[in-house]
């Protein structure tokens, strides 16, 4: 009788030991999986941060790609890059019916740690801090040479992302009609 009781106890110990080993293996796999997942999230976030600024600008430019609807100037003057130190992209505003609304522009510029956007009248008297914060960044440079628009976004981590867009509606990239 005694041997039978001891055998049942040993069977229970083996089952508990097997369960403990199985639970330990599951915990180790979860810890390694969590670490790998965190690295993937960080990598994807860094790639997203680098692409977002230039992709946003590219989409806005492509949407406004019409002859004489895109300008590069300063915040206070659409025709002069030197009027102030805020390099600004001006996009002619189209109303709901697709018709141009004269004298209204969407301004995209960098100010106080953010790429900002504001829709206003050309002489609306808005200040740079009045724009909506679109994306945190360290800088934005925009230039236009004929029908070629170039821009560089300096991301928060200091990396730069650049893009050149040739406007299609006003001729080719070299300004020829």
């Amino acid at each position: 009788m005694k041997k039978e009781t001891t055998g049942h106890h040993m069977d229970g110990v083996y089952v508990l030991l097997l369960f403990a080993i199985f639970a330990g293996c599951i915990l180790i796999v979860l810890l390694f999986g969590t670490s790998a997942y965190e690295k993937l999230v960080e990598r994807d976030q860094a790639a997203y941060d680098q692409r977002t600024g230039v992709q946003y600008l590219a989409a806005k430019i492509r949407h406004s790609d019409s002859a004489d609807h895109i300008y590069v100037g300063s915040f206070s003057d659409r025709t002069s890059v030197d009027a102030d130190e805020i390099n600004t992209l001006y996009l002619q505003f189209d109303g709901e019916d697709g018709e141009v609304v004269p004298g209204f522009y969407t301004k995209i510029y960098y100010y106080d740690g953010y790429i900002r956007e504001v829709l206003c009248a050309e002489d609306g008297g808005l200040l740079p801090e009045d724009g909506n914060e679109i994306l945190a960044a360290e800088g934005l440079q925009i230039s236009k040479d004929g029908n070629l628009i170039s821009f560089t976004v300096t991301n928060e981590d200091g990396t730069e992302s650049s893009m050149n867009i040739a406007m299609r509606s006003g001729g080719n990239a070299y300004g020829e009609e």
Side-chain angles (χ1 to χ4, degrees), residues 127-139:
L127 300 173
E129 55 267 20
D130 294 333
N132 295 321
E133 296 172 351
I134 301 298
L135 180 70
E138 286 187 9

Side-chain angles (χ1 to χ4, degrees), residues 64-166:
S64 297
D65 189 0
S66 297
D68 297 325
H69 284 196
I70 299 175
Y71 305 91
V72 175
S74 60
F75 187 82
S76 59
D77 185 2
R78 128 181 104 82
T79 60
S80 173
V81 180
D82 300 324
D84 56 43
E85 295 181 11
I86 302 174
N87 192 227
T88 304
L89 177 67
Y90 284 79
L91 306 171
Q92 180 73 50
F93 180 68
D94 294 333
E96 290 182 16
D97 57 357
E99 295 295 319
V100 172
V101 179
F104 281 86
Y105 296 92
T106 299
K107 294 180 181 182
I108 300 175
Y109 57 97
Y110 172 81
Y111 182 77
D112 198 25
Y114 290 93
I115 294 175
R116 296 175 182 249
E117 177 180 327
V118 65
L119 171 65
C120 61
E122 188 168 10
D123 55 355
L126 292 176
L127 300 173
E129 55 267 20
D130 294 333
N132 295 321
E133 296 172 351
I134 301 298
L135 180 70
E138 286 187 9
L140 171 65
Q141 289 299 321
I142 307 166
S143 63
K144 182 178 177 190
D145 183 18
N147 286 332
L148 184 67
I149 297 176
S150 303
F151 49 90
T152 300
V153 175
T154 305
N155 301 306
E156 281 187 300
D157 62 0
T159 59
E160 291 185 348
S161 302
S162 299
M163 187 177 280
N164 299 317
I165 295 182

Side-chain angles (χ1 to χ4, degrees), residues 51-69:
R51 288 190 314 262
T52 301
V54 293
Q55 292 299 328
Y56 175 78
L57 287 166
K60 294 297 262 187
I61 290 169
R62 288 179 182 128
H63 177 75
S64 297
D65 189 0
S66 297
D68 297 325
H69 284 196

Side-chain angles (χ1 to χ4, degrees), residues 3-18:
K3 288 190 176 202
E4 223 175 88
T5 308
T6 307
H8 288 299
H9 287 304
M10 289 304 287
D11 288 343
V13 170
Y14 289 135
V15 169
L16 283 174
L17 183 61
L18 185 61

Side-chain angles (χ1 to χ4, degrees), residues 145-149 165-168 170-177:
D145 183 18
N147 286 332
L148 184 67
I149 297 176
I165 295 182
M167 295 186 307
R168 296 179 180 187
N172 65 27
Y174 303 103
E176 299 169 2
E177 295 293 324

